[in-house]
Amino acid sequence: MSRSARLRWSTASELLRLVYAEPGITRTAACERLALASGAATELIERLRGARLLAEHRADRGGPGRPTTVLGPHPRGPLAAVVDLSAAGWRVLLGDLAGALTEAAAGSYGDREPAGFLPEVAGAVGAAVRREPGRVGAVVAAVAGAVSGTRLLQFSTRGWHAADLGVLAGGPGVPLLVGNDATLGGIAEARGGAVRGARAALHILVAVGVGGALLVDGRPVTGARGAGGEYGHLPLGDPDLACPCGARGCWDLMVDGRALARHRGDPVPRDPFAYGRNVLDAVRSGKAPDRDRRAVERTARALGAGIAGLVNLHDPDAVTLAGLAPGLRAGAPEAFADAYRGGLMAFHRADPPPVADAVHGADGPVRGALALGFDEITGPAALARWGAHRTR
Amino acid sequence: MSRSARLRWSTASELLRLVYAEPGITRTAACERLALASGAATELIERLRGARLLAEHRADRGGPGRPTTVLGPHPRGPLAAVVDLSAAGWRVLLGDLAGALTEAAAGSYGDREPAGFLPEVAGAVGAAVRREPGRVGAVVAAVAGAVSGTRLLQFSTRGWHAADLGVLAGGPGVPLLVGNDATLGGIAEARGGAVRGARAALHILVAVGVGGALLVDGRPVTGARGAGGEYGHLPLGDPDLACPCGARGCWDLMVDGRALARHRGDPVPRDPFAYGRNVLDAVRSGKAPDRDRRAVERTARALGAGIAGLVNLHDPDAVTLAGLAPGLRAGAPEAFADAYRGGLMAFHRADPPPVADAVHGADGPVRGALALGFDEITGPAALARWGAHRTR
DNA sequence: TACTTTTACTCGGAGCACGAGTATATTTCC
DNA sequence: GGAAATATACTCGTGCTCCGAGTAAAAGTA
């Protein structure tokens, strides 16, 4: 990719990213935001229309003056394919520049290992790509487990072996991105969710264990291979407890359904997420015994204290909670707040970063994956490739 | 700053950053690296010479063919002023595009608080800026303490009150950047030190407490206000120990001179860094009693275990150790390695990120500060401002 | 001195941003 | 219903950068 081509498409990239970030933005507003001169705007938008990257529709809002248009996705514009590998089953979706998602296929794992069902998923991806020829610019897999590069290392509760997700690639020239659900959920919160626009946001997901991400300007900090964000395997917990990950004292064991079970005197639950939700629902309804209340309190305290340490570490503007975490806080608000405040360094305590519940639920990871896909698609290099075939 | 000006200077920015990153690079090599066409190179370099941003010198290496030139700083090119506020005293230095640093002023704190000596330092900065009129494009303060924005929150061992370093600004249009020594030392290691070129590097500095930074492509992840990297205030330690920061269980207390003193049965030392160095030197020399050896072992273990957790968290390519940390590891290598390996998640254990001692010593923070200053100076916007007055 | 090798410069072409000036589409007012 | 007001979009000449093929230059080598 030549340097001049990248430069040529860099303004186009900015505009398309703005349109993605703020669906329904008008042409005038977008140009003003980019400080784009009037003539340049005309030429740029005409070029993007010609390249099937953008379409305009009348914006009918009152007031005098020549009406402007709303910028939106071109009907034959680029799409991102999202592969959702959640605990419940798999889905393949297609999303456009407006953030509209349509399900293309879905299925369940049954009793199969990844090697068993991945070909099926890959087939669904391929079918979706072929159904919209030339339009799919990226495939993004959202995985409910630990990942490294395109490898799945560990999956939710299921005891799957590690597997390479490379088979999900959508064909030559279509990059495959893989992210875990906590990271992608964090992206969704930082870009269009509870902490939209935060410069640095910390997202914490409690499911089976704890995952999360630090988002800087909406981009996740995921380390060399995308395996970062494993907050649950910081040794913030009891050093006498061995974690299935191989280490000891992992925070994981202090804040999820397994912690609640331990405090209540139950054995390790088969599905810690469902177990945790049940306990929290019971406490929430007010009909739970004191033992349950205390278990939630201890767990919320461990959550709050750990988050405080992570705030010391990352200095975020704000924190978002997802999965069981909002329920844990709601079930023992004082315990959580005490532990949170108490764990902050003095200078943070004067002005603690607000802790908000995530606004995206189960669709957070998929929304984040779509955003990541369009980051790729709307980059200058990818646009230059797209435009090379479609302009004029 | 108009968009066209930024675009115009963006290639210039890339070239200057390359020259900074690889001092002594030849014109040919630089153009090849940037994939810059021959004609564009001629025009670009002529423009940069004219703008006093670059100078060329004959590269005398044998072989046939027309000789190329070495790209270097212009004799009247931009400079960054570095203010070093270390535990020992303060210095003001000027650095150029080649990384050459010259000391412009220095002094000691005496018994003064920041409010007492900062005017003196600010005066020295002003004098340095005036001595090279128009050349200083950024002032960077390297502070041995916690910072937030341009505020100094806490300084090394001295019990100073928080203070605003804004007075160090070098005048209108000259931005002031503030970073702590752990962060800046990490930059130095990631760009020209032990882990040069690493995509994600974790730097750990043990001095009084633990600081550090995650460097992604050489850029530190420092959160919303630059206060990130306070690894020492993660609750990885004994929850019964109260930290001066206000929280409990801070890792700080487990890995620095205070930890060694506690394990040896000594009271909290007045200068934990010097205390730690003495103990480590003694153990290193082999003449220390078993009690000291065991103290170092326990401390090295706490260090290794914590770093393992941080590797789980950040997924770095490599880790660098600075301050007392190399000595702790050297004093109890098996204990450190055991704890490090033992704390890693299984998939990291198969291929643990290498842990290297930092190659920069006391000058690391200053070198990192200079790099940060030139990041600012060689950005497209700053170049456009510089070039607007000096071209033609 | 002539040849080889490597690098730098020349120059016409293409593309984008700028910005002042002009045209256009809508609402509001008379 | 028509004119004025208003907000927006388009036109076009200018300046800038990058491209790339061709040419010139500066060394070593025979």
Side-chain angles (χ1 to χ4, degrees):
Chain A
M1 185 53 46
S2 85
R3 142 173 275 89
S4 63
R6 271 206 313 277
L7 284 175
R8 261 207 287 289
W9 287 93
S10 67
T11 304
S13 170
E14 285 186 57
L15 177 62
L16 291 173
R17 287 178 173 178
L18 179 59
V19 170
Y20 183 87
E22 307 193 10
I25 192 170
T26 62
R27 173 184 172 138
T28 320
C31 293
E32 191 186 3
R33 196 77 75 76
L34 298 183
L36 201 58
S38 146
T42 298
E43 287 174 16
L44 174 62
I45 290 175
E46 190 186 338
R47 185 157 50 104
L48 294 182
R49 259 192 289 119
R52 300 186 211 156
L53 284 163
L54 216 52
E56 293 181 275
H57 301 99
R58 303 199 85 86
D60 35 29
R61 34 151 219 83
R66 180 173 176 169
T68 185
T69 59
V70 169
L71 301 178
H74 191 282
R76 288 182 293 164
L79 301 172
V82 175
V83 182
D84 182 24
L85 299 176
S86 72
W90 62 266
R91 289 186 299 164
V92 175
L93 305 97
L94 290 175
D96 68 12
L97 187 67
L101 280 160
T102 54
E103 189 172 297
S108 57
Y109 308 123
D111 295 329
R112 294 175 292 181
E113 282 268 328
F117 64 80
L118 278 179
E120 193 177 319
V121 183
V125 172
V129 168
R130 279 191 302 277
R131 197 177 318 154
E132 301 283 358
R135 291 185 65 189
V136 175
V139 177
V140 190
V143 185
V147 300
S148 176
T150 61
R151 281 182 70 73
L152 164 62
L153 300 173
Q154 201 172 330
F155 187 86
S156 193
T157 40
R158 299 176 192 249
W160 290 344
H161 294 100
D164 195 336
L165 302 179
V167 292
L168 299 178
V174 181
L176 170 68
L177 309 171
V178 177
N180 81 37
D181 54 349
T183 303
L184 297 171
I187 295 176
E189 296 302 325
R191 300 211 187 169
V195 292
R196 174 180 195 131
R199 272 198 300 164
L202 173 65
H203 182 70
I204 295 292
L205 168 69
V206 177
V208 181
V210 192
L214 178 71
L215 292 304
V216 178
D217 293 326
R219 283 183 296 275
V221 177
T222 52
R225 288 165 295 274
E230 293 295 338
Y231 291 101
H233 300 284
L234 272 173
L236 302 174
D238 180 347
D240 294 335
L241 290 177
C243 178
C245 85
R248 305 186 76 80
C250 289
W251 191 34
D252 254 14
L253 305 174
M254 312 304 286
V255 290
D256 70 356
R258 290 170 290 182
L260 289 171
R262 212 170 51 247
H263 298 328
R264 294 177 76 229
D266 279 353
V268 177
R270 233 172 45 89
D271 182 346
F273 187 77
Y275 180 97
R277 208 173 32 200
N278 289 340
V279 173
L280 290 173
D281 283 352
V283 167
R284 211 68 221 283
S285 73
K287 289 178 298 201
D290 261 12
R291 188 192 58 171
D292 292 12
R293 208 176 301 279
R294 279 195 305 271
V296 171
E297 218 172 277
R298 282 181 69 177
T299 310
R301 204 173 287 281
L303 182 65
I307 289 176
L310 297 175
V311 166
N312 293 339
L313 175 60
H314 285 321
D315 185 31
D317 285 315
V319 182
T320 48
L321 304 180
L324 296 179
L328 281 169
R329 176 164 74 144
E334 298 84 8
F336 178 89
D338 269 18
Y340 176 54
R341 265 187 63 86
L344 292 174
M345 294 168 70
F347 83 92
H348 274 128
R349 211 172 292 167
D351 183 22
V355 180
D357 292 349
V359 300
H360 289 106
D363 65 330
V366 166
R367 297 228 74 87
L370 184 60
L372 213 55
F374 269 92
D375 277 355
E376 168 64 32
I377 290 170
T378 58
L383 288 180
R385 283 194 301 275
W386 172 281
H389 303 104
R390 293 173 182 81
T391 313
R392 227 163 345 214
Chain B
M1 186 52 47
S2 85
R3 142 173 275 90
S4 64
R6 271 205 313 277
L7 284 175
R8 259 206 290 288
W9 288 94
S10 68
T11 305
S13 170
E14 285 186 58
L15 177 62
L16 291 172
R17 287 179 173 176
L18 180 58
V19 171
Y20 183 87
E22 305 193 11
I25 193 171
T26 62
R27 174 183 171 139
T28 320
C31 293
E32 191 185 2
R33 196 77 75 76
L34 298 183
L36 201 58
S38 146
T42 298
E43 286 173 16
L44 173 63
I45 291 176
E46 190 186 339
R47 184 155 53 103
L48 293 183
R49 261 194 287 117
R52 301 186 209 155
L53 284 163
L54 216 52
E56 291 181 276
H57 302 99
R58 301 200 86 86
D60 34 29
R61 34 150 216 85
R66 180 173 177 169
T68 185
T69 59
V70 169
L71 301 178
H74 191 283
R76 289 182 292 165
L79 301 172
V82 175
V83 181
D84 182 23
L85 298 176
S86 72
W90 62 267
R91 290 186 299 164
V92 175
L93 305 97
L94 290 175
D96 68 12
L97 187 68
L101 280 160
T102 54
E103 190 172 296
S108 58
Y109 307 124
D111 294 330
R112 294 175 292 181
E113 283 268 327
F117 65 80
L118 278 178
E120 193 177 319
V121 182
V125 172
V129 167
R130 278 191 303 277
R131 198 177 317 154
E132 302 282 0
R135 291 185 64 189
V136 175
V139 177
V140 191
V143 185
V147 301
S148 176
T150 61
R151 282 182 68 75
L152 165 62
L153 299 172
Q154 201 171 330
F155 188 85
S156 194
T157 41
R158 299 175 191 250
W160 291 344
H161 293 100
D164 195 335
L165 301 178
V167 292
L168 299 179
V174 181
L176 170 69
L177 309 171
V178 178
N180 81 38
D181 52 352
T183 303
L184 297 171
I187 295 177
E189 297 302 326
R191 300 213 189 168
V195 291
R196 175 180 194 131
R199 273 197 301 163
L202 174 64
H203 182 70
I204 295 291
L205 168 70
V206 178
V208 181
V210 192
L214 177 72
L215 291 304
V216 178
D217 294 325
R219 283 183 296 275
V221 178
T222 52
R225 287 165 295 274
E230 293 294 341
Y231 291 102
H233 300 284
L234 273 174
L236 302 174
D238 180 348
D240 293 337
L241 290 176
C243 177
C245 84
R248 304 186 78 81
C250 288
W251 192 33
D252 254 16
L253 305 172
M254 312 304 287
V255 290
D256 69 355
R258 289 170 292 182
L260 289 171
R262 211 171 52 247
H263 298 329
R264 294 176 76 229
D266 279 353
V268 177
R270 233 172 44 90
D271 182 346
F273 188 77
Y275 179 96
R277 207 174 32 203
N278 289 340
V279 173
L280 291 173
D281 284 351
V283 167
R284 211 69 220 281
S285 72
K287 288 177 300 202
D290 260 13
R291 188 192 56 171
D292 290 13
R293 208 175 301 281
R294 279 195 304 273
V296 170
E297 218 173 276
R298 282 182 69 177
T299 310
R301 203 173 286 282
L303 182 64
I307 289 176
L310 296 176
V311 166
N312 293 340
L313 175 59
H314 285 320
D315 184 31
D317 285 313
V319 181
T320 48
L321 304 180
L324 296 179
L328 281 169
R329 177 164 73 145
E334 299 84 8
F336 178 89
D338 269 16
Y340 176 53
R341 264 187 64 84
L344 291 174
M345 293 167 72
F347 84 94
H348 275 127
R349 210 172 293 167
D351 182 23
V355 179
D357 292 349
V359 299
H360 289 106
D363 65 329
V366 166
R367 297 228 74 86
L370 184 59
L372 213 55
F374 269 91
D375 277 354
E376 167 64 32
I377 290 170
T378 58
L383 288 180
R385 283 195 300 275
W386 171 281
H389 304 104
R390 292 172 184 81
T391 312
R392 228 163 345 213

